[in-house]
Structure formats: structure tokens, C-alpha cells
């Protein structure tokens, strides 16, 4: 406890010495809620970016989600990346609507300039990427690939990410899927994305998805389920496709369109490139800075 008090005094001294007027928490930390009092006493305007209003099933960070939201309750301003998260905060009486500004999830780019290694006549390469947790819908993804394979469509699947695959591994092996069941270092992400034609976000619940942001950053079209804020990250028929529901049949139907219409696939890729400035990190930080200094 003594160390915390010392750190708070040092932070106060630094804020005053630097003449800090605005402070933004981009990503919460377990110590973040302890900073709010320091900022208020120093007269610093405090803005918090809230990524999740509700805990994710199976995610260990869910254990501290309520604690982390204490910072948002006390902040001067809250920013969310989707309207879905903002609505959850308001509905749960965590943050008042007048304190919330909704921005967008900027594209994430890993090692720009990595060339695509896909052709246009080979099987459609479909990617499941990210930590394997219950809410990510790996079972629904596999079910969709099974449906497409049974229909005789040229489909290849790749599953990349850490987590417990469990009995789904046997289903993936029967499909001939590429399985890389480990934590994916940042240096490998760009090359994985470049080897695939479409990312499938088969979530059963969601706030927003960093994986979708990474796919768009790599000009990779997305098929997503219509849950949470995922539909806000995709412009239907422009940067991706939104399945009718989060079941395997609906996901398969959306992916099938891309397998059977490569012109649609290429059009989505061009659209992603042409709209990249709307999702740029530069635009995000410019608008976030304006909110942090002036409010919504």
C-alpha cells in the first residue's frame, strides 16, 4: 500500500510539473481505477476508452472487468469503439449517456507491405484467427466449413490461435484444416493474413473485434456474425458480409457467396483499400484528442 501512495504522489507531481490538461486511458490496467482521484485533484480532464462493458465467457480478464469499469464511472468522459458497448454501459447504469462518445475501431496493421501469396483460381482460404474462447464460436466456424465441403466447394480452412480446441481438433483434422494452436507473435500475423482470402468472425457474443480490425488492415474481407458491435466494423457488401445469424448454416451461406463469386471477393478487397482512411489510426487519434480536450 505504501508503494501505491508513493506512486500517486509522484504522478501528481509529474502532472503538475508538465502542466498536463488531459489524460487518456487507452487500455485499462488493474491499477487504472486508483489513478482517477489523482487526476481529479490535479485538475486534469480524464477520458477512458472502454473496450468491453460486459465480461467475455471463458476470458480470465472477465474476473476484473467490474473493477476496471470503476475508472469509467469516475472519468470525465468515456469513449467506446462501437455503439453496442455504449448502449451496454448505459443500460447497466455504469456510465451516463451524456458522458459517452462513440468513435470506431481503427485498422490494425502488422508489417505493412507483406505480399499476398494467394492466387485467384485456387481453393478459397478461410481463416479463423485469435484466442480460442467459448464466445468466439469455433464450433460454428467448423460447422460452416463442413457444410461447404459437403457441398463440394473448393474450400481450405486455417485455425490460428491459442486456447483449448478440445474435441473440435478431430473435426478440423478430418477437414484437412491447417491448425496452429499457439499464441501468435506479432511478427507472424501479417503473413498469416496474407495467405488467406477471407476472415470469419463466428462470435456468439461480442463488443468489437481486434481481429476484424487486423483483417481490414491487411485488405482481407470479413464474414461476421450479426452480434454485438461486429456489424459496426463492417459495411455490408462493401468491406465484408454479415451472416443472417450466428449459426453454421448462415455463416456457410455467406462464405459460399465468396467461394462462388471471386469478382465479389476482389471488389470487397478494393473497397477496403479505398475506405481505409475512414478507419485510419491517424483519424482515430485526432478525434480522440478532440474529445479528451473538449468533451463530446
Amino acid at each position: 500500500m505504501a508503494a501505491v501512495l508513493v506512486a500517486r504522489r509522484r504522478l501528481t507531481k509529474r502532472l503538475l510539473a508538465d502542466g498536463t490538461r488531459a489524460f487518456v486511458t487507452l487500455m485499462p490496467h488493474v491499477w487504472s481505477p486508483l489513478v482517477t482521484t489523482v487526476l481529479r485533484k490535479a485538475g486534469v480532464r480524464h477520458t477512458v476508452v472502454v473496450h468491453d462493458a460486459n465480461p467475455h465467457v471463458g476470458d480470465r480478464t472477465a474476473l476484473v472487468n467490474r473493477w476496471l469499469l470503476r475508472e469509467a464511472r469516475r472519468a470525465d468522459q468515456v469513449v467506446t469503439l462501437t455503439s453496442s458497448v455504449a448502449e451496454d454501459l448505459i443500460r447497466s447504469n455504469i456510465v451516463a449517456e451524456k458522458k459517452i462518445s462513440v468513435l470506431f475501431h481503427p485498422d490494425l496493421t502488422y508489417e505493412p507491405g507483406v505480399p499476398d501469396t494467394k492466387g485467384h483460381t485456387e481453393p478459397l482460404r478461410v481463416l479463423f484467427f485469435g484466442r480460442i474462447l467459448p464466445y468466439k464460436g469455433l464450433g460454428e466456424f467448423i460447422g460452416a466449413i463442413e457444410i461447404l465441403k459437403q457441398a463440394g466447394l473448393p474450400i481450405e480452412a486455417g485455425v490460428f490461435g491459442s486456447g483449448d480446441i478440445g474435441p473440435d481438433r478431430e473435426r478440423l483434422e478430418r477437414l484437412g484444416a491447417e491448425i496452429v494452436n499457439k499464441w501468435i507473435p506479432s511478427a507472424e500475423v501479417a503473413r498469416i493474413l496474407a495467405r488467406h482470402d477471407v476472415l470469419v468472425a463466428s462470435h456468439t457474443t461480442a463488443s468489437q473485434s481486434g481481429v476484424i480490425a487486423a483483417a481490414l488492415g491487411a485488405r482481407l474481407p470479413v464474414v461476421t456474425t450479426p452480434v454485438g458491435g461486429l456489424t459496426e466494423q463492417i459495411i455490408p457488401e462493401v468491406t465484408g458480409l454479415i451472416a443472417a445469424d450466428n449459426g453454421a448454416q448462415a455463416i456457410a451461406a455467406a462464405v459460399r457467396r465468396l467461394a462462388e463469386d471471386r469478382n465479389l471477393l476482389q471488389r470487397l478487397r478494393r473497397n477496403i483499400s479505398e475506405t481505409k482512411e475512414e478507419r485510419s489510426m491517424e483519424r482515430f487519434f485526432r478525434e480522440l484528442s478532440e474529445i479528451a480536450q473538449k468533451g463530446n
Side-chain angles (χ1 to χ4, degrees):
M1 187 62 186
V4 173
L5 294 175
V6 170
R8 284 160 64 105
R9 285 196 294 268
R10 288 177 177 174
L11 177 58
T12 301
K13 185 177 180 180
R14 179 61 183 269
L15 292 170
L16 294 173
D18 291 347
T20 302
R21 294 179 299 170
F23 182 98
V24 178
T25 301
L26 286 171
M27 184 67 72
H29 185 276
V30 291
W31 295 115
S32 297
L34 302 178
V35 174
T36 55
T37 303
V38 174
L39 296 172
R40 183 170 288 110
K41 287 183 177 179
V44 176
R45 182 175 175 79
H46 185 196
T47 299
V48 177
V49 179
V50 174
H51 297 261
D52 300 300
N54 300 308
H56 293 305
V57 177
D59 189 345
R60 287 182 299 175
T61 62
L63 299 175
V64 296
N65 193 66
R66 181 175 295 182
W67 164 253
L68 296 177
L69 288 172
R70 289 170 64 92
E71 183 185 17
R73 287 181 183 274
R74 299 172 179 175
D76 298 296
Q77 190 73 25
V78 169
V79 169
T80 65
L81 307 183
T82 61
S83 296
S84 177
V85 172
E87 290 164 3
D88 285 341
L89 290 172
I90 295 166
R91 186 164 45 247
S92 301
N93 292 319
I94 296 172
V95 179
E97 183 176 3
K98 63 183 180 180
K99 284 176 51 173
I100 301 176
S101 296
V102 180
L103 287 184
F104 59 94
H105 198 312
D107 287 356
L108 302 177
T109 304
Y110 295 83
E111 197 176 344
V114 173
D116 291 346
T117 57
K118 307 176 291 293
H120 301 302
T121 59
E122 61 188 14
L124 188 76
R125 292 275 299 164
V126 185
L127 175 64
F128 178 101
F129 187 85
R131 293 182 303 157
I132 298 170
L133 294 167
Y135 74 96
K136 294 291 186 69
L138 177 60
E140 286 74 13
F141 172 85
I142 297 172
I145 301 300
E146 289 171 339
I147 291 168
L148 295 167
K149 286 274 195 179
Q150 290 166 7
L153 290 170
I155 296 286
E156 293 181 358
V159 174
F160 293 76
S162 61
D164 182 16
I165 295 181
D168 285 333
R169 180 179 290 274
E170 293 183 11
R171 295 172 66 193
L172 286 167
E173 290 174 346
R174 286 196 296 270
L175 292 168
E178 181 179 3
I179 307 169
V180 180
N181 188 205
K182 66 170 188 175
W183 179 259
I184 307 297
S186 296
E188 297 179 21
V189 174
R191 287 174 172 78
I192 292 170
L193 296 172
R195 290 199 291 112
H196 291 82
D197 296 294
V198 58
L199 173 95
V200 172
S202 50
H203 298 52
T204 56
T205 62
S207 47
Q208 61 270 320
S209 170
V211 172
I212 289 180
L216 295 176
R219 288 202 316 134
L220 190 63
V222 174
V223 168
T224 183
T225 52
V227 299
L230 301 188
T231 58
E232 299 178 50
Q233 292 183 262
I234 295 299
I235 304 173
E237 309 293 328
V238 177
T239 57
L241 303 177
I242 299 175
D245 56 54
N246 59 1
Q249 287 283 355
I251 296 170
V255 174
R256 181 168 190 156
R257 290 184 58 195
L258 300 177
E260 295 180 335
D261 186 353
R262 296 306 175 93
N263 289 330
L264 171 60
L265 183 67
Q266 293 308 311
R267 187 165 68 250
L268 295 177
R269 288 173 61 85
R270 288 195 303 271
N271 292 338
I272 292 171
S273 294
E274 292 171 359
T275 59
K276 65 180 182 179
E277 293 304 319
E278 299 174 13
R279 304 180 306 276
S280 70
M281 195 68 74
E282 291 79 9
R283 178 190 170 197
F284 177 80
F285 278 110
R286 183 174 64 251
E287 295 186 9
L288 177 60
S289 177
E290 291 173 358
I291 291 169
Q293 295 181 66
K294 302 177 183 177
N296 56 1

